Amino acid sequence: MALAALISAYRYANDEAEGLRSTLPLAGRTLLEHQARLAALAGADNVVVLAERVPVALAQAVERLRRSGMRVEIARGVNDAADRIHPDEELLVVGDGCLASPRLFRRMVKARAPALLTVPDEPDRAMFERMDATVRWGGLMLVSGAFLRDTAAMLGDWDVESTLLRRAVQGDAERVDATAGNAAGRTPLLVDGIIDLEGFDRHMLATARPRGRDWPWRHVFPLIEGVVAPPLLRRGTDPIWFAVGAVTAAVAAGILIAAGWRLAGQAALMLSGPIAAVAERLAGARLSPLRWSGAFFIARSLAAVAALLILSFDLAKETGWGAWPVAAMLLLAMGALAGEQRILRHLPGGLAPHWIASLDGLIWAMLPFALIGQWLAGIAVLAAYALASFGFVQREVAIRVVAQASETA
């Protein structure tokens, strides 16, 4: 069943000078944009913003969402909103100023409509609307388009959210406990001013850390990202510039090596990894996929291969032709490893361990050899590393294929 989202954007912040709750600044954009992207990630292909007034900040936020490819409409009243949503669509209602985690959005859309997100009736959640003596509404609701139309027909002067909530409660809606399995304890929030968003950008970055990558991405790059990414996120820096910067650093590495500055080239190659990680971290925090991420990775990989070939050419002039078969062995082993990893990913439990050779793993493993000037020995060790990784992954593929065949037999 198709899913639409209705985001309320008509209440002002506690300090009216701050504007609407929905236009409060968050990660260089607005709260509304974050809500809309959360809804889209949960499966909503149509977002309707319910706004009695459309100040400039709100119009600009909607326009940015549209430019990113999202289908977003502004409704000036509940009847207008009802007309924009098909009666047979499921409707995810996002309360004005509600900020919940992607996990809670996913839980809500998997529930059976009508459904309500609930939080305990505790003093620190007094801003949430009370449902009964034990729980309050957590700001997310799943109903149908027909339910919204019926509510609009009898609304009168009643508040949209409160009326939808009361009707859902009377209809014995399913209750989804927001605190169940929520170890982070940060969401949902009901934002009523800039102060409520203080520090939330750091939470967004923490939850956006790429998973399942190699050992530099898991253990080295986060140390750099933690310093660089927060101010960039607050300024609204476009991640694409860091993706371009990562490729540029890798290209510069080849130029530096060709000019005889090998250590500088090694440093540029190493730097390209954290720059690429910052780009992905910023994009993840904004809930927006990094544009052309695959093309950027291929370009960076080709630049690294070019740097290796340039280095091998220099080494061959110094030590003889032996540098070429070692470099060729490294490249062939990595190509074979990539093929085996593609097969492994399509098998049950097919995730390679983080120590397996990878682009950044090889680059950073070269550092000790670069520091002592043993470049050829370093390439030989990297080739052995790649071959060992290929052998391990090939063995894992064989084991899983046999196990899968035994299960189907």
Side-chain angles (χ1 to χ4, degrees), residues 115-202:
L116 297 166
L117 185 69
T118 65
V119 295
D121 183 15
E122 297 172 346
D124 60 344
R125 301 189 186 273
M127 288 183 64
F128 292 91
E129 189 164 354
R130 187 188 299 276
M131 289 172 54
D132 56 34
T134 60
V135 296
R136 294 176 179 264
W137 180 44
L140 296 180
M141 181 188 318
L142 185 69
V143 294
S144 65
F147 188 92
L148 176 65
R149 292 195 175 197
D150 292 343
T151 304
M154 52 83 67
L155 191 61
D157 294 329
W158 295 95
D159 178 78
V160 178
E161 291 180 8
S162 296
T163 307
L164 285 170
L165 175 61
R166 297 306 164 199
R167 290 196 66 217
V169 171
Q170 292 167 6
D172 198 24
E174 178 183 348
R175 298 187 177 190
V176 179
D177 184 2
T179 62
N182 185 18
R186 287 298 306 266
T187 55
L189 297 175
L190 192 58
V191 179
D192 195 28
I194 293 175
I195 193 171
D196 297 325
L197 291 171
E198 186 176 350
F200 196 81
D201 53 353
R202 291 191 294 272

Side-chain angles (χ1 to χ4, degrees), residues 57 63 125 171 183 210 230 241 261 263 272 342 372 403:
E63 184 58 30
R125 301 189 186 273
W241 296 115
W261 298 335
L263 270 178
S272 71
R342 279 195 293 271
I372 61 176

Side-chain angles (χ1 to χ4, degrees), residues 107-120:
R107 285 182 60 194
M108 284 301 301
V109 299
K110 290 178 181 178
R112 178 176 295 181
L116 297 166
L117 185 69
T118 65
V119 295

Side-chain angles (χ1 to χ4, degrees), residues 314-328:
D314 280 350
L315 292 173
K317 289 192 297 184
E318 295 174 4
T319 62
W321 60 270
W324 286 113
V326 176

Side-chain angles (χ1 to χ4, degrees), residues 195-321:
I195 193 171
D196 297 325
L197 291 171
E198 186 176 350
F200 196 81
D201 53 353
R202 291 191 294 272
H203 173 71
M204 293 166 63
L205 285 168
T207 56
R209 181 174 298 167
R211 299 179 184 277
R213 291 297 190 102
D214 52 30
W215 59 267
W217 281 73
R218 289 178 64 87
H219 304 297
V220 180
F221 298 169
L223 303 176
I224 303 170
E225 296 167 34
V227 176
V228 175
L232 294 172
L233 184 64
R234 287 191 289 270
R235 292 190 186 103
T237 305
D238 192 336
I240 196 112
W241 296 115
F242 278 80
V244 172
V247 175
T248 303
V251 171
I255 297 173
L256 290 168
I257 293 172
W261 298 335
R262 293 177 183 173
L263 270 178
Q266 172 68 23
L269 270 180
M270 293 172 63
L271 187 62
S272 71
I275 295 175
V278 168
E280 290 205 13
R281 192 78 168 270
L282 291 174
R286 291 181 176 177
L287 307 175
S288 178
L290 182 64
R291 290 169 287 168
W292 312 306
S293 59
F296 282 123
F297 177 76
I298 291 172
R300 195 162 71 92
S301 300
L302 291 175
V305 170
L308 172 64
L309 294 177
I310 293 169
L311 176 60
S312 300
F313 179 78
D314 280 350
L315 292 173
K317 289 192 297 184
E318 295 174 4
T319 62
W321 60 270

